[in-house]
Amino acid sequence: MRSHRKGWRVGRWAGCLTLGLVAPGLVPTVAFAADSAGSTADLPANRHETEPKAVPASTPAPAGKDPLASPFPAEADGLGPRLGPHYRLLRGAEDWRFMGREGAPDDRFAPLKAIPLDGGGDVTLSLSGGQRTSVSHSTRPLLNDTRSRTEWLSRTNLAADLRIGPAVRVYGQLVSGHIFGTNETRHVPVWENDLIVQQLFTEIRAPVASGVARITIGRQEFFDGPRFLISPRENPNIRVSMNCARLSMDWSRVRFTVFDFTPTAQGNGIFDDGIGNGETFSGGLASLLLARNRAQGTNDAIYLDPFYYHYTREQRTSGLLSGSDRRETWGARLWGHWGRVAFDWSAMKQDGRFAGRPVDAWALSTRQSVALGSGKQAPRLGFHADYASGGGSYAADGKVGAFNILYNATIIFSDDNYIGASNVMGVAPTLSVPLSRQLKVATEAGFYWRPNEDDAAYRGNAVVYAGTQNVQGRHLVNIARARIDWTPDPHVVLSGIANYVDAGKVLTRAGYGDNLFLQTRLTLRF
């Protein structure tokens, strides 16, 4: 019965992907589309930074703004964080059509953007890509390996964005990832993958009820919700991608999105990735603009994002539990920035069943900071405090209290997955200092405990620290973090990262120890 059901599911998702590829031919009469990067993509955000290069005057260029740019504030559009004026973490959320307009800013890669494929400039092709290379060293990998680890990581990506009129787009992205070194991490697909179709989707937009509707069909990256639950996971070479469909509706003060996904099954070879890895992920999220202040050049805003996520996994093992895992996760995120204060607070509740037992788990995550001066170059002082419930993983019966991290950002507490968001509570003061427009430093000191002594300690990827369920104590670890980013050019980022892990009583009693992690990372993008 299970194999039959699984086969039906894969066929269902394959049908979604096929629909995504043929959809442009199904809607030839649609006349409008929106700017995925929002209205702020038309002009450079910082005139002092290197700006994209003007195209030749003879190049046809669409006039004016996109008639279907989302009316919702661009910073909260649900398409992931921005990395400067035009780049985004999710490359599929970028819109380079402004580069085909008269008076476009200057950039060395302008010839690859908004290439006109018809006489009127209504059909354009933009090419993008990047290379991330890093080398890291750990003195005690996994906190229990006495052999040091040195590893090199490489991620190469190439993408094409075809815009057909203002309403339809087809986007595709290929990614290759490799790892090598001394005592390096196992060559699992997230680290070693010769070539994968990371994204391949069709997006259609249309005006609906004084707003903008958007449907995205195919393989896509997803980053809409609290980071404690949702992230494409930027740290590995190959990020999480989802298959099937997402429907969004944007107005000026409210937006919502619903989705029905299954994650990509990654492989090590060339195009051996599949659709369906035993998990499903669906749900919905809304975002409400509660308050906004644009007086005297400010852009203060506060948002409330209620959400619901339905997650299933056919087979999962955690502690003594093994079986299917279903999580119904619901909650709300209150976040924004007002004056010198920025904050991001999330509350999450999980119900469901794991290995035939009821789930009763919950989590809280709060981040807040204050600028120590005026302007964007002011240092920021703050802290984050987090709690994720534990319990039940090693009990013979009763409720399961261990929080399931779903697809969260595994680097919330450290840069090398030392602590995960299950059976953990902690606080971490933070300080970020922009030394110049190109050079920024961020530091953090985290202190973490486990709320449930009968449950184990968990790594960032939700894997148990073996033996920690058998020792007494609550103190897990102290983690000191520092990062410096130098951006001499919008296309270049050089980063230095350091983490020192001071193992607490729980880890040391189970045979784990301290570790120093150092990494240098070079990111090139166009």
Side-chain angles (χ1 to χ4, degrees):
M1 176 63 73
R2 173 170 292 178
S3 61
H4 171 75
R5 196 167 124 257
K6 184 175 181 181
W8 173 85
R9 179 180 298 147
V10 172
R12 172 191 175 201
W13 300 131
C16 283
L17 185 60
T18 302
L19 177 60
L21 297 178
V22 303
L26 301 179
V27 286
T29 59
V30 179
F32 302 99
D35 181 343
S36 292
S39 58
T40 59
D42 291 320
L43 295 173
N46 188 343
R47 291 289 183 180
H48 296 283
E49 296 180 355
T50 302
E51 299 173 345
K53 178 180 188 177
V55 294
S58 59
T59 302
K65 286 187 176 183
D66 186 331
L68 285 182
S70 171
F72 200 72
E75 66 179 355
D77 59 8
L79 298 175
R82 296 173 178 268
L83 306 176
H86 309 305
Y87 289 108
R88 302 187 73 143
L89 180 65
L90 306 187
R91 300 302 304 269
E94 296 170 358
D95 186 350
W96 292 96
R97 286 176 295 173
F98 70 94
M99 294 295 288
R101 298 171 186 160
E102 184 177 352
D106 187 28
D107 187 271
R108 66 178 70 93
F109 293 106
L112 300 179
K113 308 298 184 183
I115 304 168
L117 301 183
D118 69 336
D122 293 325
V123 180
T124 63
L125 179 68
S126 295
L127 303 177
S128 301
Q131 171 66 40
R132 188 186 72 174
T133 305
S134 68
V135 57
S136 61
H137 181 78
S138 294
T139 58
R140 188 187 293 266
L142 304 177
L143 304 188
N144 65 348
D145 190 340
T146 57
R147 300 169 298 164
S148 64
R149 167 179 294 170
T150 300
E151 60 186 18
W152 290 80
L153 300 177
S154 172
R155 178 172 71 194
T156 307
N157 73 87
L158 294 172
D161 186 5
L162 176 65
R163 303 274 177 161
I164 305 172
V168 179
R169 68 183 293 222
V170 179
Y171 182 87
Q173 182 186 47
L174 301 178
V175 179
S176 177
H178 296 284
I179 180 173
F180 62 93
T182 302
N183 191 29
E184 74 269 24
T185 303
R186 291 188 303 117
H187 291 203
V188 295
V190 295
W191 300 111
E192 183 71 28
N193 196 312
D194 290 335
L195 194 61
I196 183 174
V197 179
Q198 180 67 14
Q199 298 189 80
L200 184 58
F201 63 79
T202 290
E203 183 178 277
I204 303 168
R205 296 198 180 203
V208 176
S210 302
V212 177
R214 179 180 73 252
I215 183 169
T216 309
I217 305 173
R219 181 170 295 178
Q220 56 199 277
E221 293 180 333
F222 182 73
F223 199 172
D224 197 358
R227 196 173 68 142
F228 216 73
L229 290 169
I230 303 299
S231 165
R233 293 184 176 165
E234 168 67 4
N235 221 31
N237 284 332
I238 308 300
R239 302 198 301 208
V240 175
S241 63
M242 301 289 184
N243 300 271
C244 207
R246 176 185 185 184
L247 173 65
S248 301
M249 187 71 211
D250 295 359
W251 291 276
S252 60
R253 298 189 69 89
V254 179
R255 71 170 181 89
F256 74 83
T257 188
V258 293
F259 57 90
D260 190 7
F261 289 143
T262 188
T264 301
Q266 302 166 343
N268 289 112
I270 297 176
F271 298 145
D272 60 352
D273 48 294
I275 300 175
N277 66 347
E279 300 175 359
T280 66
F281 185 52
S282 59
L285 176 143
S287 185
L288 294 78
L289 177 59
L290 297 183
R292 195 169 195 179
N293 177 26
R294 290 182 170 180
Q296 299 177 343
T298 62
N299 190 25
D300 299 329
I302 297 176
Y303 305 90
L304 176 64
D305 299 356
F307 56 84
Y308 165 73
Y309 302 127
H310 169 75
Y311 167 89
T312 68
R313 182 169 174 176
E314 290 183 350
Q315 180 62 37
R316 177 172 178 251
T317 299
S318 181
L320 299 180
L321 302 179
S322 184
S324 63
D325 191 3
R326 175 178 60 84
R327 301 288 173 128
E328 315 294 344
T329 305
W330 50 275
R333 176 189 181 203
L334 181 67
W335 66 284
H337 46 89
W338 201 271
R340 297 187 179 186
V341 176
F343 62 95
D344 191 339
W345 303 335
S346 297
M348 297 144 279
K349 178 68 173 68
Q350 280 186 348
D351 302 308
R353 298 191 74 84
F354 180 20
R357 289 165 53 185
V359 171
D360 184 11
W362 62 282
L364 291 172
S365 177
T366 69
R367 291 177 174 266
Q368 41 277 312
S369 65
V370 60
L372 303 180
S374 59
K376 295 181 179 180
Q377 296 302 113
R380 300 195 70 88
L381 179 65
F383 71 94
H384 66 86
D386 307 277
Y387 180 98
S389 64
S393 298
Y394 291 89
D397 52 25
K399 295 182 178 179
V400 177
F403 192 76
N404 187 320
I405 64 174
L406 301 186
Y407 304 100
N408 81 343
T410 59
I411 59 171
I412 292 175
F413 307 115
S414 72
D415 293 287
D416 200 29
N417 288 352
Y418 299 118
I419 291 294
S422 186
N423 197 28
V424 69
M425 58 183 180
V427 61
T430 61
L431 175 65
S432 61
V433 182
L435 301 179
S436 69
R437 292 185 182 275
Q438 291 78 32
L439 190 63
K440 299 180 180 180
V441 176
T443 61
E444 175 181 309
F447 308 91
Y448 303 102
W449 299 263
R450 62 176 176 180
N452 190 315
E453 289 192 62
D454 296 325
D455 200 355
Y458 293 82
R459 303 182 189 274
N461 58 0
V463 174
V464 167
Y465 277 102
T468 53
Q469 74 277 10
N470 299 322
V471 300
Q472 294 182 339
R474 292 186 180 273
H475 183 216
L476 296 175
V477 69
N478 304 321
I479 302 177
R481 307 170 71 181
R483 176 172 181 147
I484 183 168
D485 292 304
W486 180 47
T487 311
D489 180 283
H491 308 291
V492 180
V493 182
L494 181 62
S495 304
I497 299 170
N499 284 196
Y500 185 78
V501 178
D502 173 28
K505 291 182 178 179
V506 173
L507 291 176
T508 55
R509 287 170 178 172
Y512 299 90
D514 300 350
N515 178 63
L516 175 64
F517 171 81
L518 301 172
Q519 184 180 75
T520 300
R521 178 186 298 174
L522 175 64
T523 302
L524 308 174
R525 59 198 179 201
F526 68 89

